[in-house]
C-alpha cells in the first residue's frame, strides 16, 4: 500500500488568541523583521506534535513498506508543523517553494514583502527534538510571481499536488505535503467526493489522508 497526506499548518503565532513564549508575537522583534512569516504559537507546537502522531498511526494502518518524504512550504509555520511529522515517521523533509502561501495582496498586503520567509535553520531552532539530518539541503520549486491572486494560487497548489501524486507512483514513495489552507482546499476539490466544489475554510492542522494500492 501507498499513502499520501495534505496538511494545513498548525496555529500561527499572530492569531487573535495566540501566544509564543508567554507573549504576543506582534510585540517581538521577529514580527518586525519577518511580518508575513509568523512561527507557530505555543498551542500550535503542541497541535503539530498531535497531528504527527495521528499521521504515524494512519501510516501504520496503511501497512506501507515504502519510504516517505515530507514536503513543506518554505514558511515558518509550515516548516515547524512538518518537522514533528518527519521526526515521527523518520522521513526526509524537503522544502518546496511551489506550495508556499498565496503570494499577493489578498494575503500579504498591498506591497510585496521585502522579507517573505526567514532562514530554515532559525525556524527549526524552536523545534529542539528535530534531527537536522532529516532535512534535505535542497530547496525545490519556483517562487510565485507577485502579484498572485487566489485563483492562480489554487491552480498552482492543485498542479503541484498532482505532480507529487504522479511522481510518488513512479518512484514508489509515500508523500506528505504540509502547506496552507488553500492548498488543502484545492487538493480536496480534486478528489471525487468534492469534485468541482470550492472549499471555503480549512482549520489549523486540517488534513487529507488517503491510501492506494502501490
Amino acid at each position: 500500500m501507498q499513502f499520501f497526506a495534505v496538511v494545513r499548518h498548525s496555529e500561527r503565532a499572530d492569531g487573535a488568541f495566540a501566544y509564543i513564549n508567554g507573549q504576543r508575537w506582534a510585540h517581538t522583534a521577529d514580527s518586525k523583521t519577518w511580518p508575513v512569516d509568523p512561527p507557530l504559537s505555543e498551542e500550535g507546537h503542541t497541535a503539530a506534535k498531535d497531528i504527527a502522531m495521528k499521521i504515524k498511526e494512519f501510516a501504520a494502518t496503511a501497512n506501507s513498506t515504502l519510504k516517505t518524504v515530507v514536503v513543506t512550504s518554505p514558511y515558518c509555520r509550515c516548516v515547524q508543523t512538518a518537522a514533528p511529522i518527519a521526526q515521527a515517521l523518520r522521513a526526509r523533509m524537503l522544502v518546496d517553494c511551489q506550495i508556499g502561501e498565496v503570494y499577493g495582496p489578498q494575503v500579504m498586503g498591498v506591497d510585496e514583502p521585502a522579507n517573505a520567509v526567514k532562514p530554515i535553520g532559525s525556524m527549526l531552532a524552536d523545534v529542539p527534538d528535530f534531527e537536522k539530518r532529516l532535512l534535505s539541503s535542497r530547496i525545490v520549486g519556483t517562487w510565485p510571481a507577485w502579484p498572485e491572486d487566489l485563483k492562480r494560487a489554487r491552480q498552482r497548489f492543485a498542479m503541484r499536488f498532482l505532480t507529487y501524486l504522479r511522481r510518488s507512483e513512479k518512484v514508489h514513495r509515500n508523500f506528505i505535503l504540509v502547506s496552507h489552507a488553500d492548498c488543502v482546499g484545492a487538493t480536496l476539490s480534486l478528489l471525487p467526493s468534492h469534485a468541482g466544489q470550492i472549499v471555503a475554510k480549512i482549520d489549523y492542522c486540517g488534513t487529507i489522508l488517503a491510501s492506494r494500492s502501490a
Side-chain angles (χ1 to χ4, degrees):
M1 292 292 288
Q2 184 180 47
F3 74 87
F4 66 84
V6 184
V7 185
R8 186 191 178 190
H9 60 79
S10 194
E11 183 187 63
R12 46 194 287 171
D14 60 349
F17 302 101
Y19 286 85
I20 182 168
N21 299 323
Q23 63 178 325
R24 304 286 290 171
W25 182 72
H27 299 158
T28 67
D30 186 63
S31 71
K32 306 301 185 290
T33 307
W34 311 100
V36 299
D37 194 25
L40 293 184
S41 67
E42 293 169 357
E43 290 191 10
H45 280 288
T46 299
K49 292 178 181 178
D50 290 343
I51 195 63
M53 290 301 102
K54 290 178 182 177
I55 293 173
K56 184 178 180 180
E57 290 170 4
F58 179 82
T61 62
N63 197 29
S64 176
T65 58
L66 304 178
K67 291 184 178 180
T68 301
V69 59
V70 178
V71 186
T72 177
S73 156
Y75 288 81
C76 186
R77 53 196 179 274
C78 296
V79 173
Q80 291 183 344
T81 302
I85 299 172
Q87 186 77 21
L89 297 178
R90 314 298 301 162
R92 197 74 168 158
M93 189 168 85
L94 178 69
V95 177
D96 185 347
C97 296
Q98 279 182 252
I99 60 169
E101 182 62 283
V102 180
Y103 197 59
Q106 288 173 283
V107 170
M108 303 287 180
V110 176
D111 298 320
E112 181 176 8
N115 299 316
V117 296
K118 55 176 72 85
I120 301 297
S122 66
M123 299 179 187
L124 292 172
D126 292 329
V127 190
D129 297 333
F130 181 70
E131 295 180 47
K132 301 292 178 63
R133 64 183 182 83
L134 295 176
L135 176 65
S136 173
S137 59
R138 291 193 308 132
I139 296 179
V140 302
T142 304
W143 195 269
W146 181 276
E148 181 182 48
D149 61 25
L150 186 56
K151 181 179 179 180
R152 280 190 293 166
R154 285 178 169 167
Q155 290 172 342
R156 167 169 59 86
F157 290 135
M159 292 302 296
R160 203 59 172 164
F161 165 74
L162 291 174
T163 295
Y164 280 106
L165 191 65
R166 290 190 293 265
R167 188 178 298 169
S168 67
E169 184 175 27
K170 184 176 180 180
V171 301
H172 303 290
R173 293 284 189 275
N174 305 312
F175 73 93
I176 299 167
L177 303 185
V178 181
S179 185
H180 307 266
D182 286 299
C183 181
V184 182
T187 301
L188 195 57
S189 296
L190 293 173
L191 303 182
S193 60
H194 291 73
Q197 298 182 35
I198 296 176
V199 180
K201 186 177 185 298
I202 301 290
D203 290 336
Y204 289 128
C205 289
T207 302
I208 299 169
L209 290 166
S211 61
R212 61 181 177 178
S213 298

